[in-house]
């Protein structure tokens, strides 16, 4: 068992959620900084999550880990079928602000904002 796995087990009182186990495994396979970069969060947030000490929106962290590393397919009507959850997350993040006149980005901006998976960062 890695040091991170021990910290997770202690922090979560032996009930480490599957997504935290995935987070630990990803950190062990590369680095905490690399994982934080992939999740677009700070390395401190990753550490606090593993230790179950993060005071922010843990559900948001869980969703980001699941979307980035667990990659369950998502039905996207705008793109006409199933897409990887990481692709969905990318489009949802882009839908925070309309910054382009590209027809595809404009279409996805409106489609993502109408999707139940879309939750603006300000609301979380």
């Amino acid at each position: 068992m890695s040091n991170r796995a021990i910290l997770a087990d202690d922090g979560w009182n032996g009930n480490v959620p599957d997504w935290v186990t995935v987070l630990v495994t990803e950190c062990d396979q590369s680095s905490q900084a690399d994982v934080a970069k992939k999740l677009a969060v700070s390395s401190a947030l990753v550490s606090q999550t593993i230790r179950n000490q993060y005071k922010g929106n843990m559900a948001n962290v869980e969703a980001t880990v699941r979307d980035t590393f667990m990659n369950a397919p998502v039905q996207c009507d705008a793109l006409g079928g199933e897409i990887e959850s990481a692709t969905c997350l990318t489009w949802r993040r882009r839908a925070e602000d309309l910054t382009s006149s590209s027809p595809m980005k404009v279409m996805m901006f409106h489609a993502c904002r109408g999707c139940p998976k879309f939750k603006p960062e300000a609301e979380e």
Side-chain angles (χ1 to χ4, degrees), residues 3-121:
N3 288 341
R4 282 187 190 92
I6 293 168
L7 290 171
D9 194 53
D10 287 347
W12 291 88
N13 296 320
N15 293 320
V16 181
D18 62 339
W19 63 273
V20 174
T21 301
V22 168
L23 185 62
V24 167
T25 301
E26 290 295 329
C27 288
D28 287 345
Q29 290 175 352
S30 59
S31 74
Q32 190 167 302
D34 287 343
V35 169
K37 189 173 183 177
K38 288 178 186 175
L39 295 173
V41 299
S42 70
S43 187
L45 185 146
V46 173
S47 177
Q48 290 169 2
T49 299
I50 289 171
R51 297 167 188 254
N52 195 19
Q53 295 176 344
Y54 181 60
K55 302 296 183 202
N57 188 335
M58 194 68 87
N60 184 43
V61 178
E62 176 182 358
T64 303
V65 170
R66 288 186 183 282
D67 286 345
T68 305
F69 297 118
M70 299 173 88
N71 237 353
V74 174
Q75 182 65 34
C76 180
D77 295 335
L79 295 175
E82 279 190 356
I83 60 172
E84 291 183 352
S85 57
T87 302
C88 176
L89 177 62
T90 299
W91 281 114
R92 287 194 324 260
R93 284 182 175 160
R94 288 179 184 165
E96 290 288 325
D97 298 302
L98 182 58
T99 59
S100 173
S101 60
S102 158
M104 179 69 163
K105 288 182 181 178
V106 171
M107 178 193 80
M108 292 306 293
F109 173 83
H110 292 292
C112 288
R113 286 186 160 268
C115 177
K117 287 185 72 78
F118 180 76
K119 294 180 182 91
E121 290 293 323

